[in-house]
Amino acid sequence: MTLRAFTQSDYERLINWIDSDELNYQWGGPTFDFPLNAHQLSQHCAQPDVWPFMFSVSGESAGYAELVKTSEDHFRICRVFIAKPFRGQGIANQMLCQLIQLATSEYRADALSLAVFEHNTAAKRCYESLGFVVTSRESGMRSFRGESWVLLRMEKSLLSSD
């Protein structure tokens, strides 16, 4: 299982994964319009503080995630996605463990944060299992087709408690 840089050759695969308006919003929030396209991905990935990654299992693309630099020692994990055939197998946990290790070793991050919609209970459980804790709950800020979606902000310190 390998985490590698997301490249232009991966665009079509990610576009095919994000196959509905609702999934597009759950995955990308207000950042992307549906249908997702190569132009949107290209513009997004060209930002200097966005580092996108593809996760492969036995040579097959299984997931996507980003690190977004918010300060010298703090990064956000954004747009985590696991392809349907790989769900329910602990792949997200393994991908995120590698992403956390990369943030620590390569980018010298002291803290990570993320946001997840409250109704995405599988993702929330995964993040909690990795040591993320809810720091705030925002309601009334995001909605999809008139339904308010509660956004949870979560954080994890990477500093050892020695």
Side-chain angles (χ1 to χ4, degrees):
M1 294 185 218
T2 313
L3 190 67
R4 62 170 177 78
F6 178 77
T7 66
Q8 191 172 357
S9 65
D10 297 311
Y11 288 8
E12 195 62 35
R13 181 170 315 278
L14 182 60
I15 289 166
N16 289 332
W17 286 347
I18 309 299
D19 61 2
S20 74
D21 194 22
E22 183 173 0
L23 185 56
N24 184 70
Y25 191 74
Q26 184 166 319
W27 168 75
T31 302
F32 298 100
D33 293 325
F34 184 77
L36 187 61
N37 61 48
H39 178 71
Q40 291 180 84
L41 287 173
S42 180
Q43 284 192 314
H44 179 72
C45 293
Q47 296 176 83
D49 292 334
V50 173
W51 291 298
F53 297 94
M54 185 65 85
F55 190 65
S56 298
V57 175
S58 301
E60 193 174 343
S61 297
Y64 173 92
E66 295 173 3
L67 280 177
V68 177
K69 185 176 183 178
T70 60
S71 72
E72 279 307 308
D73 59 359
H74 183 259
F75 290 77
R76 288 194 59 192
I77 294 175
C78 297
R79 285 166 268 293
V80 175
F81 191 85
I82 299 298
K84 286 177 188 170
F86 294 93
R87 292 182 190 162
Q89 302 172 38
I91 300 295
N93 188 289
Q94 294 173 53
M95 177 176 74
L96 291 167
C97 281
Q98 286 190 29
L99 194 65
I100 291 165
Q101 178 60 38
L102 182 71
T104 305
S105 63
E106 288 288 316
Y107 303 117
R108 307 283 186 243
D110 290 341
L112 292 172
S113 61
L114 56 85
V116 62
F117 288 114
E118 187 174 53
H119 66 271
N120 191 347
T121 55
K124 183 177 177 272
R125 276 195 309 270
C126 178
Y127 300 140
E128 288 171 336
S129 78
L130 294 166
F132 285 86
V133 295
V134 175
T135 57
S136 68
R137 184 177 185 272
E138 299 173 7
S139 57
M141 303 290 290
R142 304 285 167 100
S143 65
F144 182 78
R145 293 191 182 141
E147 179 185 334
S148 182
W149 286 10
V150 175
L151 190 66
L152 302 176
R153 303 264 180 202
M154 302 180 82
E155 291 188 8
K156 174 184 176 72
S157 174
L158 301 175
L159 298 173
S160 63
S161 55
D162 296 343

